[in-house]
Amino acid sequence: MVSPELPWAQRIRRLAAGRDAVILAHNYQRPQIQDVADHVGDSLALARLATASTARVIVLCGVYFMAETAKILSPERTVLIPDAGAGCSLADSITAGQLRAWKSEHPGAAVVAYVNTSAEVKAEADVCCTSANAAEIVASIPARREVLFLPDQFLGAHVRRVTGRANLHVWLGECHVHAGISPDGLRAKAAANPQAELYVHPECGCGTSALWQTGTGDLPMERTRILSTGGMLEAARSTRAPAVLVATETGMLHQLRQANPAVRWEAVNPHATCRYMKMITPEALERCLRDGVSEVSVDPGVAARARRAVQAMIAVGPAGPGGRPGGRARRGQVGAR
Ligand code: 13P
Ligand code: SF4
């Protein structure tokens, strides 16, 4: 029994120790959750950390597909998510049935599924990817083989441009949060902040147009970078810019400000918040650790097929920023070392 008199963060740490639980948090989590977690990172880092940890219980403070991925990789471990209703509009944009129908139109194509997908969809894929390694994963597939890339149309367009691959077909899914960050909003902010660098997540509605706009001179090429959330943190540590405009979910600003307090960090769209990520409240995390809810389960047959796709991703090699597991430099800062 942990005393209710203790401050919240101490109660969480004691409850976690009592359960032999490791707390993993995504970069978009509420600041309080990020600060109490053992590790904070992007989706690739969390997948890797889930396999590297030896804790009996993994508490995944993120959205449901992230907790499912942890369970797929560590079926013998108990995986808990503080709110099982924390979904993802992007993951919901394709079902396993839709993917099977798409595959039947392109026999022999390699299927690359972003990790923002359900376990059933991963089970239909050849390999998974995240925003940190999508281009590397696609480049690892023989050039003559067709590729079906899903479900994010903006990340897919970014990967097609980076790899120069014409035989890459992209599913027209999107994340409602990132789609709400518009090219016009980015251009206006960039014009109003001529000294600022721009960090753009490749899922953004403005992500692919940002690349195009650098070509036309509408956006400054030398100041614009397309980065995963882990990549943003790595870039944050070495930037000399006085200000950086960030085009992604606003939870990211917490880690960026800690990584480099000398910089003025500003959201391109301050209303870009993911309501699913924010469902992991301090109260929900405490209930999760105290009562052991909600436990994540994945059908063993589905998990076995999905594991092959996730492990194929991990095997492709260097994850780039945000993908390295490891001990903890200090709590809350693992994602981008
Ligand atoms: P990262 O792969 O950059 O962590 O992004 C995951 C996500 O859900 C973006 O909305
Ligand atoms: Fe899904 Fe978008 Fe939320 Fe990321 S920000 S978890 S892609 S709904």
Side-chain angles (χ1 to χ4, degrees):
M1 170 75 181
V2 173
S3 165
E5 306 299 318
L6 285 173
W8 173 82
Q10 281 184 32
R11 297 202 301 274
I12 294 298
R13 295 310 320 165
R14 290 216 182 158
L15 286 166
R19 273 194 189 274
D20 186 19
V22 63
I23 304 176
L24 307 181
H26 188 265
N27 289 322
Y28 297 164
Q29 288 290 291
R30 295 166 184 270
Q32 230 179 327
I33 302 288
Q34 295 190 28
D35 291 346
V36 84
D38 291 289
H39 304 292
V40 181
D42 63 15
S43 54
L44 180 55
L46 298 185
R48 290 179 164 240
L49 287 161
T51 53
S53 165
T54 53
R56 203 176 56 78
V57 176
I58 297 169
V59 175
L60 204 305
C61 296
V63 293
Y64 200 79
F65 76 80
M66 295 176 179
E68 266 189 347
T69 305
K71 184 67 187 176
I72 288 165
L73 289 170
S74 303
E76 71 293 351
R77 234 88 66 78
T78 300
V79 176
L80 302 176
I81 184 166
D83 191 327
C88 168
S89 61
L90 182 55
D92 286 346
S93 66
I94 187 164
T95 64
Q98 287 172 316
L99 177 52
R100 278 192 290 272
W102 198 28
K103 280 165 71 171
S104 69
E105 291 166 19
H106 298 272
V111 177
V112 180
Y114 192 28
V115 285
N116 294 45
T117 43
S118 66
E120 289 78 13
V121 167
K122 286 185 180 75
E124 294 290 334
D126 294 294
V127 58
C128 287
C129 73
T130 74
S131 59
N133 63 12
E136 280 171 86
I137 297 286
V138 168
S140 74
I141 297 166
R144 275 180 298 124
R145 192 166 174 201
E146 274 191 305
V147 176
L148 303 183
F149 187 95
L150 63 111
D152 189 82
Q153 57 181 300
F154 300 111
L155 182 61
H158 171 67
V159 169
R160 189 193 280 139
R161 189 182 298 248
V162 169
T163 59
R165 194 152 182 153
N167 62 353
L168 182 130
H169 308 282
V170 179
W171 188 258
L172 292 181
E174 66 179 22
C175 151
H176 71 291
V177 179
H178 285 89
I181 303 175
S182 71
D184 286 351
L186 183 65
R187 203 165 33 238
K189 281 265 185 188
N193 294 273
Q195 305 297 318
E197 286 184 342
L198 318 177
Y199 290 1
V200 182
H201 195 280
E203 272 175 31
C204 284
C206 56
T208 42
S209 83
L211 284 177
W212 180 75
Q213 288 174 54
T214 56
T216 59
D218 274 0
L219 282 179
M221 192 180 298
E222 67 290 352
R223 292 195 279 123
T224 305
R225 305 187 60 184
I226 310 289
L227 298 163
S228 69
T229 59
M232 288 184 188
L233 269 167
E234 183 136 305
R237 296 206 165 82
S238 56
T239 184
R240 301 229 169 125
V244 179
L245 309 173
V246 182
T248 194
E249 210 271 356
T250 55
M252 191 64 222
L253 295 170
H254 184 62
Q255 288 292 311
L256 292 170
R257 287 180 178 136
Q258 287 185 346
N260 195 336
V263 172
R264 179 170 61 80
W265 297 97
E266 199 179 314
V268 169
N269 178 356
H271 304 296
T273 54
C274 175
R275 67 188 167 89
Y276 301 115
M277 286 282 181
K278 299 326 186 221
M279 287 168 81
I280 310 304
T281 59
E283 298 73 32
L285 176 56
E286 186 164 2
R287 192 171 54 244
C288 168
L289 283 164
R290 193 188 55 227
D291 302 340
V293 290
S294 295
E295 188 168 347
V296 175
S297 63
V298 181
D299 172 84
V302 170
R305 289 164 61 217
R307 193 174 308 121
R308 280 203 296 270
V310 180
Q311 285 174 339
M313 166 182 85
I314 290 175
V316 165
R324 281 184 288 271
R328 54 198 226 197
R330 68 183 179 82
R331 182 173 293 154
Q333 291 293 316
V334 168
R337 286 185 303 123

